[in-house]
Each structure stands twice: as C-alpha cells, then as structure tokens.
C-alpha cells in the first residue's frame, strides 16, 4: 500500500455515519491532523432499504448496484481499507463480490470482527440487538454458533420496539419511550451486541441506564483494528 486510506460506505443512516466519524476521531488520537489516516466517506443515503431488500426481496439489484458503484469509486480514488457502516448491508456482500472481486480483500467485515472478539473474550452466550433483517438472516447467530457461542435475540413481537429505537436515531427524535425501550432491550443479558449502527448512538446517549457487563460495538472494534493496521503501516 502506497498510502493508508480508509473508505466508508455510509448513509445507512446518516447519524450512524456521523457517529462512526466521531469514533474515528477518538480512536485515531493525534496532536496534528496529519497524524491520522485519510478517510473518505460516501454518505449514500439514497440507497434502497437493506432490511426490505432482505425481507421482501425489494430492489435487491438496485441496492447491490449502488453498493458496488460506491465501493468501486472508493477503490478508484485510493482506498485500500473499506468499511460498510451498516450491519444488514453485509448480507449482500457476496453479490457485490461477484461484480467487484477486488473489494473483498479491502473490506473489514464488521460481523466477523465482532465474532472474533467475542470468541477471544471467552464469552459463551451473547444477546444480539439489530434490525429484523440482521436478526432473521442469522448472520451473527450462525457465525457465533460455529465458534461455540450461543446467540440470543429478541422475539419477533419485539421487532416493533427495536424499530422505534432505530428510527429515533435516524430521525434524531428522542423521547422517554425510546429511553425505556432501549433500557429494557439492552439490559436483558450480561453481554450484548449492538448489531445495528444506530444502536451505539443510543448506547452513548443513555449509557447511565446500561447495566449489562459488556457491550460490543462492531464499528468501534473495526476502528481499533484499523488503528493497529495504520500504526503497523507507519512502522514499516
């Protein structure tokens, strides 16, 4: 790699992408701005719904085309590491790789990153919060169970509560109801995966109400991996 440049496919949603950029600034501590790696963000908020694409097979080709185009553009301007700021979007990566094979080695897969960390921590059972698409797809559950970790998730009857929490961040409209719903969901288990990129925003907003032992934020872990890579890159 000639230069270490991070590309982000964001806009799923916008406030989650803003939060990712804040995480980047915190993780890559720097006395001078040029001590951080370059980051390019495509806030492609015009893409079709990832959840509806999975649940109802709605606009899948359009979604895959948009994802492929954005990732291709990021590669073409020099990004050698790529991050998708949406858990559900990872369901469509196999189709993207068919169109853009060169993306596969560059993408830091947030589901795999999270699973690896949970296994390294020796956790035997974890609770997953996310969109209904992420939960119903089993993308986390299968990966965890292959490593011997049991993964629990909300019942279908609670999907409405999850949507209320996620939409509160997307619209930046918070209420006491949202606070109570999020507290009820996140405090159900000692270990919890925030498997939707809106949920870490709620976690930081209501952290005083969180009682679980450890929370796994996939994008924060990705930022820490990228930081380690960047430091190794600079040492060469």
């Amino acid at each position: 790699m000639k230069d270490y440049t991070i590309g982000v496919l964001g806009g799923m949603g916008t406030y989650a992408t803003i939060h990712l950029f804040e995480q980047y600034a915190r993780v890559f501590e720097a006395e001078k701005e040029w001590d951080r790696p370059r980051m390019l963000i495509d806030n492609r908020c015009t893409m079709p719904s990832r959840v509806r694409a999975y649940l109802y097979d709605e606009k899948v080709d359009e979604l895959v085309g948009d994802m492929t185009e954005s990732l291709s553009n990021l590669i073409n301007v020099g990004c050698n590491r790529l991050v998708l700021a949406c858990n559900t979007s990872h369901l469509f990566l196999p189709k993207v790789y068919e169109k853009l094979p060169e993306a596969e080695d560059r993408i830091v897969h947030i589901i795999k990153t999270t699973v690896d960390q949970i296994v390294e921590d020796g956790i035997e059972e974890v609770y997953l919060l996310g969109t209904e698409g992420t939960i119903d797809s089993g993308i986390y559950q299968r990966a965890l169970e292959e490593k011997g970790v049991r993964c629990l998730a909300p019942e279908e009857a609670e999907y409405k509560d999850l949507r209320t929490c996620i939409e509160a961040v997307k619209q930046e409209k918070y209420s006491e109801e949202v606070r109570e719903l999020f507290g009820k969901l996140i405090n159900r288990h000692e270990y919890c995966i925030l498997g939707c990129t809106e949920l870490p925003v709620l976690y930081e907003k209501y952290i005083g109400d969180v009682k679980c032992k450890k929370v796994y934020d996939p994008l924060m872990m990705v930022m820490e991996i990228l930081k380690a890579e960047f430091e190794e890159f600079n040492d060469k």
Side-chain angles (χ1 to χ4, degrees):
M1 292 186 294
K2 198 174 178 183
D3 297 298
Y4 192 92
T5 303
I6 302 165
V8 176
L9 176 50
M12 307 175 279
T14 297
Y15 285 105
T17 303
I18 292 169
H19 184 256
L20 177 150
F21 190 64
E22 291 175 341
Q23 290 176 318
Y24 153 83
R26 290 200 298 267
V27 170
F28 288 93
E29 297 176 312
E31 292 184 10
K32 301 293 183 181
E33 287 296 336
W34 52 80
D35 292 333
R36 294 187 173 97
R38 184 180 183 187
M39 174 181 275
L40 302 176
I41 298 175
D42 183 350
N43 194 66
R44 194 156 186 166
C45 49
T46 54
M47 286 191 295
S49 165
R50 283 66 56 199
V51 174
R52 294 188 66 84
Y54 173 75
L55 293 177
Y56 311 118
D57 204 32
E58 181 180 289
K59 298 183 178 179
V60 174
D61 289 344
E62 181 182 343
L63 173 61
V64 171
D66 286 353
M67 289 175 62
T68 303
E69 182 182 66
S70 285
L71 292 171
S72 178
N73 289 341
L74 289 168
I75 290 171
N76 288 339
V77 293
C79 296
N80 30 51
R81 299 305 269 158
L82 299 169
V83 178
L84 274 63
C86 169
N87 288 259
T88 312
S89 69
H90 286 66
L91 294 169
F92 303 96
L93 279 178
K95 291 181 180 291
V96 171
Y97 295 153
E98 289 176 9
K99 294 175 175 289
L100 190 69
E102 58 267 37
E104 188 166 4
D105 290 339
R106 291 174 169 85
I107 285 178
V108 187
H109 200 290
I110 66 176
I111 285 85
K112 292 177 181 177
T113 297
T114 304
V115 170
D116 288 346
Q117 187 60 59
I118 290 169
V119 171
E120 185 177 322
D121 290 347
I123 306 302
E124 296 180 353
E125 186 175 87
V126 67
Y127 194 68
L128 170 66
L129 297 179
T131 66
E132 54 206 272
T134 295
I135 293 171
D136 283 354
S137 73
I139 190 169
Y140 271 104
Q141 294 94 316
R142 287 192 302 274
L144 285 162
E145 286 163 10
E146 284 174 5
K147 302 287 188 178
V149 181
R150 188 179 180 207
C151 183
L152 307 175
E155 299 293 329
E156 188 174 345
E158 295 181 291
Y159 287 175
K160 181 180 177 182
D161 292 344
L162 277 165
R163 285 196 299 270
T164 297
C165 290
I166 292 166
E167 286 300 315
V169 178
K170 287 182 178 290
Q171 300 172 20
E172 205 181 26
K173 294 181 179 178
Y174 303 103
S175 65
E176 189 59 30
E177 178 195 12
V178 170
R179 180 175 186 160
E180 290 175 1
L181 288 175
F182 183 68
K184 179 186 73 171
L185 290 164
I186 198 171
N187 290 321
R188 190 164 294 169
H189 198 279
E190 284 188 315
Y191 304 99
C192 182
I193 301 170
L194 300 179
C196 172
T197 49
E198 272 73 33
L199 295 177
V201 179
L202 285 182
Y203 171 68
E204 290 192 7
K205 186 174 182 64
Y206 301 130
I207 194 167
D209 299 329
V210 176
K211 299 179 176 62
C212 52
K213 187 178 290 185
K214 184 163 184 176
V215 168
Y216 289 91
D217 176 352
L219 284 179
M220 176 58 87
M221 287 184 282
V222 164
M223 284 298 127
E224 290 168 350
I225 285 173
L226 292 172
K227 181 185 179 183
E229 282 188 358
F230 180 61
E231 290 173 347
E232 183 180 352
F233 174 80
N234 282 335
D235 287 341
K236 290 180 179 178

